[in-house]
Amino acid sequence: MPSPLEGRKLWIAGIGGAGMSAYAVLARAWGAEVRGWDRTHTTYIDQLSGIDVEISDEPPQPPKGWEAFVSTAFAGRVAGKTRAELLSELVSLRDSIVVAGAHGKTTTSAMIAFCLEQLGRSPAWLIGADVPQLGGNAGTGEGWLVVEGDESDRTIDELRPRIAVVTNVDLDHHATFGSRAEVAELFEGWLGNVPVVVRGEELEPYEGKLAVAGEHNRRNAAAALAALELAGVGRDEAAGVLAEFRGAARRLEHRGTAGNVDVYDDYAHHPAEIAATLEALQHGGRLLVLFQPHLYSRTRHLAHELAGALAAADVVAVTDVYPAREQPVEGVTGKLVVDALADLRPGMLIGWTPSVDEGARFLAGLLRRDDRVVTIGAGDVDRAVGVLLEALR
């Protein structure tokens, strides 16, 4: 039986991203020739064995005769088909489970793939983060294809899986949606085209044994188990395996202990996610946070809500905004969050530390035995982990 992409030549702009790198791995496994470009070398590129990747400040022209697919980050700068078109084709080639939602989709999709893998069901998976127990963000098995979907650019609407999971509905992408109602409308329209649906917000949190902390992960587990049942996996069988799942990279990830201080890292970038992360860490001594706001649009609209979530910590340092795909907006900096937090918690120790390194040094000077410190944000705030651990040693 020929591979489904045999004879195709795919060139991917933004191949070093969490999503596009995974698509590249699967496309190559399914018979395509794959090459790509990115602006910087990422850890995901290290996993693209056998795929030629060019690194340069400016994107080159796609090779003649190759199909070009362009990540959202470079839309408008490089000619080619969209990320969604590539993912839509991959989903159409296999019985698929697509997990979407504002929060928890990475962990939920990883839980599903992990259970299928451990139970010998040979899944393929495309997940927007490394999953250490799965060996990366992409898998190429012969069974179900488990996919983390994305509503940020509305591309979820182009996917047609057999099973759809929506973990929850919330407004997280203010440059795309004007209201939560718009997000809900997108999901409802998409779900109308999928045969079988799991709605996470209608499920009770899972009460069984889990290795990952937090009420939010009990909700993720409930959605994962529901999807697995629909895929033909008995609940008791899946639950026994799920108890061994230890999480995805940058999702409440314990990065080390030094000087009797535990250091964590988390990808949270929305107030609801930050609140869930801090709730899961509320035990024992003081909780210190280094927070990096993500996107100018989100920071402008949610500065007060971000501060409200961070107010659960004992000490907070805030960096400037990580711009990702956005251009700077006048008057929008991390200082908006600092000022809002100072109004909410007068007398709280708050650091306005525009750079990640400044924030790490600020907190390192305050840490003491039995504290917990967590770096939070969807940008590069995790760079501070090494600085903190080194300072504690």
Side-chain angles (χ1 to χ4, degrees), residues 128-189:
D130 273 330
V131 185
Q133 289 169 294
L134 290 174
N137 62 335
T140 59
E142 300 300 318
W144 284 91
L145 171 61
V146 183
V147 174
E148 177 183 350
D150 184 13
E151 87 280 8
S152 67
D153 55 2
R154 297 182 179 271
T155 55
I156 189 74
D157 197 37
E158 299 186 31
L159 307 183
R160 296 292 179 264
R162 274 188 57 189
I163 299 172
V165 179
V166 174
T167 57
N168 45 62
V169 178
D170 204 348
L171 177 58
D172 188 26
H173 300 282
H174 295 79
T176 304
F177 302 97
S179 66
R180 183 185 181 280
E182 273 191 45
V183 183
E185 183 180 10
L186 172 71
F187 282 138
E188 287 304 314

Side-chain angles (χ1 to χ4, degrees), residues 58-340:
E58 294 299 321
Q61 288 298 313
K64 189 173 181 179
W66 290 61
E67 300 174 68
F69 291 92
V70 183
S71 77
T72 306
F74 300 109
R77 290 187 57 191
V78 183
K81 299 177 183 178
T82 65
R83 173 186 67 83
E85 289 176 274
L86 177 55
L87 181 56
S88 177
E89 182 171 0
L90 296 174
V91 168
S92 74
L93 293 171
R94 181 70 63 84
D95 285 344
S96 300
I97 302 169
V98 173
V99 180
H103 320 300
K105 52 186 174 285
T106 298
T107 297
T108 303
S109 54
M111 285 175 164
I112 295 169
F114 175 75
C115 288
L116 291 171
E117 177 76 1
Q118 292 298 302
L119 292 169
R121 305 299 180 95
S122 186
W125 63 85
L126 302 170
I127 296 172
D130 273 330
V131 185
Q133 289 169 294
L134 290 174
N137 62 335
T140 59
E142 300 300 318
W144 284 91
L145 171 61
V146 183
V147 174
E148 177 183 350
D150 184 13
E151 87 280 8
S152 67
D153 55 2
R154 297 182 179 271
T155 55
I156 189 74
D157 197 37
E158 299 186 31
L159 307 183
R160 296 292 179 264
R162 274 188 57 189
I163 299 172
V165 179
V166 174
T167 57
N168 45 62
V169 178
D170 204 348
L171 177 58
D172 188 26
H173 300 282
H174 295 79
T176 304
F177 302 97
S179 66
R180 183 185 181 280
E182 273 191 45
V183 183
E185 183 180 10
L186 172 71
F187 282 138
E188 287 304 314
W190 173 57
L191 294 176
N193 293 302
V194 180
V196 186
V197 172
V198 174
R199 299 173 185 268
E201 290 180 320
E202 297 179 356
L203 303 174
E204 291 297 316
Y206 176 61
E207 295 184 355
K209 179 183 175 184
L210 288 178
V212 288
E215 179 75 4
H216 63 300
N217 277 322
R218 297 200 167 275
R219 295 188 175 279
N220 294 336
L225 288 169
L228 286 161
E229 281 192 273
L230 293 170
V233 180
R235 185 177 179 87
D236 290 344
E237 183 183 22
V241 174
L242 186 58
E244 305 304 318
F245 175 75
R246 295 192 297 274
R250 302 215 60 215
R251 271 66 180 180
L252 201 60
E253 182 180 13
H254 184 254
R255 295 290 300 274
T257 302
N260 229 53
V261 172
D262 285 312
V263 180
Y264 296 85
D265 176 50
D266 195 86
Y267 194 75
H269 49 277
H270 182 279
E273 297 166 353
I274 295 167
T277 295
L278 298 189
E279 183 274 333
L281 292 173
Q282 290 290 356
H283 56 83
R286 297 186 309 164
L287 179 57
L288 291 79
V289 174
L290 175 57
F291 174 61
Q292 182 186 51
H294 186 262
L295 298 178
Y296 296 102
S297 57
R298 183 180 291 124
T299 305
R300 178 175 60 186
H301 284 93
L302 295 181
H304 190 270
E305 290 81 358
L306 290 165
L310 291 166
D314 296 290
V315 179
V316 175
V318 181
T319 77
D320 214 342
V321 178
Y322 186 85
R325 55 190 175 272
E326 293 185 349
Q327 295 300 310
V329 175
E330 186 175 353
V332 178
T333 71
K335 186 67 159 49
L336 292 178
V337 180
V338 171
D339 292 343

